[in-house]
Amino acid sequence: MSLQRILTDRIAATGPITLADYMSEALLHPTHGYYTTRDPLGVAGDFTTAPEISQMFGELIGLSLAQSWLDQGAPAAITLAELGPGRGTLMADILRATARVPGFHAALQIVLIEASPALRAVQATTLQDHAPRWLDSVHDLPDQPLYLVANEFFDALPVHQYQRDGDRWRERMVGVEGDRLRMGLGPAMPQPALAHRLEDTQQDDIVEVCPSASPMIDTISARIRDHGGAALIIDYGDWRSLGDTLQALKAHQTTDPLTDPGTADLTTHVDFEALTQAANCPFTRVTPQGVFLERLGITQRAQALAETLHDAPLEAHVAAHRRLTHPAEMGNLFKVLGLYPQGATPPPGLEP
Ligand code: SAH
């Protein structure tokens, strides 16, 4: 039975479900979920991410994290963690770029937080020489300095959407009409947690709330506060999110998020303000990816790599550099947020 059928049957029997429940089923249903059943990345897949575009992305992230480690006195036993590591490409590039940083590899235990069995298997192959450990939750992160990266992870977490009605809010709910899934509205209710959004919204505006993001930031930032470390969170989004940003991608094309759940990637823009509100350690300015990568020297790295390339590979390399950094491509849409301990230098590439 398809997931569409499972969900229409369930909604017909027990009533509409929240968008967050819908996203969670579509992405992580144990047998039909999008991430649980496949490797969605790359040209043959549904979408491409920065580490899959060029090795330079992971190399520069690796150097930023290793520099934070050096700045903090090169602690002897640390966790190098990634949330939602996809194919393991970013972690592999981080490890290659930091292999010559004296003592860094000897100090680190690699921890991957990954919900998808299919992608855990791909990561095991990519990182077979590095003995990673997989954890189900950030709560299980060891009590030691934490150097963490998350690229296009928070955009995959389920969100609730609320539509403003006077000074109350109606939750957008997924219901059924015949054999199709359809968006509807719940009753108008006060939402104390959205009080601050009455200032910047008007009648019928939609806001999004991601309930699982804040507890994760709370846990990660507490490790950094108590033991040291740094976190780099990279995603598309803005300081504050406004409007319906839900998007479904299949074979690199947008498609209807409510059709054939489990067969398309679902994402929303990340609300970076909400992430910082959950941080209990210092955080950096939310910085455009292009600016961050330029500050870390991507142009020099690109020129060095270009020296050995010709013809089509050279053209692809130049295009990849542009794609990662140009404001009209990923350079501006994607943002970077850093977390770091009180009294420490912010992660290289970012400002307090
Ligand atoms: N960071 C990778 C992959 C991004 S795709 C890259 O940049 O290429 C999103 C990743 O997050 C996938 O690995 C997906 O399986 C994982 N993921 C999504 N929701 C998750 C959750 N709730 N818990 C753990 N991992 C999750």
Side-chain angles (χ1 to χ4, degrees), residues 28 35 41 47 49 51 82 84-86 114-116 119 151-153 157:
L28 294 176
Y35 285 117
L41 290 145
F47 62 98
T49 57
E82 183 172 356
E114 173 56 67
S116 159
L119 286 171
N151 184 61
E152 291 212 44
F153 170 77
L157 300 179

